[in-house]
Amino acid sequence: MTFGEQPAYLRVAGDLRKKIVDGSLPPHTRLPSQARIREEYGVSDTVALEARKVLMAEGLVEGRSGSGTYVRERPVPRRVARTGYRASGGSTPFRQEQAEDSARGTWECRSDQVEASSAIAERLGIRAGDRVMCTKYVYRDAGETMMLSTSWEPLAVTGRTPVMLPEEGPLGGCGVVERMAAIDVVVDNVAEEVGARPGLAEELMALGGVPGHVVIVVQRTYYASGRPVETADVVVPADRYRIAYHLPVR
């Protein structure tokens, strides 16, 4: 996965997607015409058309015969309750699996300090704009990208500590529980929500999918005495992988 410049049509699609998600373009609103997109973003007709195709493939907009392209109504996700999750010691689950002799997995990551979006701020119980450490992971099996993960940790918790960078320092690569324990933050609960949706264009490009492919998304949040200390989105191509859990019987 390349963390560099995106093609023009993905940048245009990303900006329009942001407007749809934040409500600037609410459901049933007509998407700007191809000519308007071309003028507003300074791109060609081809780029404008491809950007609209991306949004259609992601299920965010729909074409109406003789009328144009409109923002689709987004259904409210329904939750499935899960219990029995217990954190295991040591490194992350992916690293534990890759410790086996037959494993062929590799990964790469990048950490940056960013401002929390409103959605991430809500998940972490902080204010939008507060600084967080954002770490993006790309996991591969035998060279094939199998999973993407993005985690966010509030710098109010980890800033200026040895564990501020999840993959560096004396505890780099250890799990969230072990890293937080090193700064006297006791993680005592973790919640996960599992859902599926059409993959975003950037995700599918990294995962080797095509527009319209569905991905499984695991939204995970670790808590210490009720306070969120890390949240993450794990994205897996649904046509190729399943999410498996081993739950202890109490």
Side-chain angles (χ1 to χ4, degrees), residues 59-73:
L60 295 175
V61 300
E62 60 184 358
R64 299 179 185 176
S65 179
S67 179
T69 304
Y70 292 79
V71 178
R72 294 183 60 187
E73 184 79 39

Side-chain angles (χ1 to χ4, degrees), residues 1 3 108-117 120 123-124 126 130-137 149-156 158-159 163-168 179 229-233:
M1 180 180 180
F3 293 104
E108 63 186 64
C109 65
R110 171 176 171 173
S111 294
D112 294 290
Q113 294 187 36
V114 301
E115 294 183 354
S117 67
I120 296 304
R123 286 163 58 173
L124 287 173
I126 59 179
D130 283 358
R131 303 293 290 178
V132 295
M133 184 64 70
C134 175
T135 304
K136 296 184 178 182
Y137 296 86
S149 177
T150 304
S151 70
W152 299 267
E153 296 179 352
L155 288 173
T158 62
V163 301
M164 184 173 73
L165 293 169
E167 297 297 325
E168 297 182 22
R179 290 177 49 249
V229 295
E230 191 258 23
T231 192
D233 287 336

Side-chain angles (χ1 to χ4, degrees), residues 81-134:
R82 287 176 38 79
T83 59
Y85 190 103
R86 181 177 299 167
S88 59
S91 61
T92 62
F94 185 83
R95 283 179 169 80
Q96 292 174 18
E97 291 179 1
Q98 297 309 316
E100 301 176 2
D101 293 337
S102 60
R104 304 168 296 173
T106 59
W107 59 89
E108 63 186 64
C109 65
R110 171 176 171 173
S111 294
D112 294 290
Q113 294 187 36
V114 301
E115 294 183 354
S117 67
S118 57
I120 296 304
E122 182 177 359
R123 286 163 58 173
L124 287 173
I126 59 179
R127 295 174 300 181
D130 283 358
R131 303 293 290 178
V132 295
M133 184 64 70
C134 175

Side-chain angles (χ1 to χ4, degrees), residues 6-22:
Q6 290 183 329
Y9 77 97
L10 289 184
R11 295 199 301 273
V12 174
D15 188 67
L16 291 171
R17 183 192 306 119
K18 180 180 178 181
K19 292 178 180 179
I20 293 172
V21 172
D22 69 17

Side-chain angles (χ1 to χ4, degrees), residues 212-227:
H213 274 192
V214 173
V215 295
I216 301 171
V217 182
V218 180
Q219 180 179 299
R220 181 197 67 212
T221 304
Y222 283 96
Y223 297 86
S225 299
R227 179 186 185 183

